[in-house]
Amino acid sequence: MLELPLSQDQIDESNAAHADPLADDYDSLGRQLARRGIDINAIKSRVGAFSVAIPSWGAGRGGTRFAKFPIPGEPTNIHEKLADCAVVNQLSRATPGVSPHFPWDKVGDYAALREEAASLGLGFDAVNSNTFQDQPDQPVSYRDGSLASTDAAARAQAVAHNIECIEIGRQLGSTALTVWVGDGTNFPGQQDLGRSLDRYLGAAAEVYAALPDDWSILLEHKMYEPAFYSSVISDWGSSILAAQELGPKAKCLVDLGHHAPNVNIEQIVARLHRFGKLGGFHFNDSKYGDDDLDSGSINPHQLFLVFNELIEAELNPRDGFNPAYMIDQSHNVTDPIESMISSAEAIGAAYAKALLVDRDELHAAQESNDVMMAFQALRRAYRTDVTPILAKARAEAGGAIDAIAAYRTSGWRERKAQERRAVGLGAGIV
């Protein structure tokens, strides 16, 4: 039985105030799209079926390199995180999956946790391992690396932890394990760059061997940090080579912030799909580096171009097309619930705009080398305001037309600030 966190009557009351203006905007946009041969209701159906997972850790405040500033009512355990994630999904109707992180989200009874999530209208997406931090009572430190460590005991410990995450995920109903390691070096000569990759591949192969038949392992690359001279899996090239060596269940995960500045991420999407290794995305935005800013807040056009390539991949599935989509952000100065609602809408808007591209026109222009008309085919879709489509899809699914306004009216944060234990100040990582 569903036990949703917010009153549906309150959401319906909020929607009533916006219903007539939305109907007017939706009808107007429908007429515009009809002149381009596009059925707005068909686009709305696609948008309504689209979803992106949210991270359990995203329900809390992140931290800068210098400090963390908690927000009142911040969740302190996986149960409170699930409640906040349920608020995001109830209002947006686009985030039914939660991606947990271990050992942060460990509990004693995972069957009960799965039932708890289901009662909130949620399921579990990919599980995430953590070998980039030492935990209390951990036998061996990851100071010098984990899966790529020169210390065999550290590698064995990292392998065992990842296998434990697979078993937890199996109980939660997940079918994917995301692996990101902070392994690398800070000084030239610190490690042999070839042998460190060999150690990573050897340890990852042990994790791969433990995967159930219907599972995937998603290899996440990152250019730098915490290692600033070299990272073992630093880019999509290293990631795809590792995935190809491990086997067909190994895929590449693209975090939009894990690249050098100005890298053509949409081309990476096309390349990974071409070789059957496009595993999924961590959506965020960045200005200077791995900033983990809200999706679409800095470069919404790039987000649209990424989705344009994803639609192309969906239309040409080759060996299959089923990427995992997840928001991965650090909400340092906003209410995390509001940021995840906003990001889910930005991601959905990029998807909707990509659906509006006239593929016949685009492909004809590409084949005839008509550069301007190819660009205009994309630009025409990008500059279309798809807000009414997203709002209509949310409302028809029981969500809020103006999700952030409805959230603020609900008083959820204020109530949780009274009920939940306060989170202590954080010292940052410097």
Side-chain angles (χ1 to χ4, degrees), residues 2 45 173 190 195 234 285-286 290 295 300 378 383 402 409 428:
L2 288 179
S45 294
Q190 181 179 340
R195 287 201 289 270
S234 58
D285 216 330
S286 63
D290 182 28
S295 297
L378 294 181
R383 66 185 177 215
D402 187 336
T409 301

Side-chain angles (χ1 to χ4, degrees), residues 2 25 58 107 122 149 151 255 290 312 332 355:
L2 288 179
D25 292 344
V107 297
L122 302 171
S149 176
D151 184 346
D255 185 304
D290 182 28
E312 289 286 343
N332 299 326
L355 291 174

Side-chain angles (χ1 to χ4, degrees), residues 183-207:
D183 296 23
T185 66
N186 282 287
F187 287 86
Q190 181 179 340
Q191 288 186 6
D192 182 289
L193 300 180
R195 287 201 289 270
S196 65
L197 179 60
D198 287 340
R199 290 191 295 270
Y200 171 88
L201 291 171
E206 295 182 53
V207 178

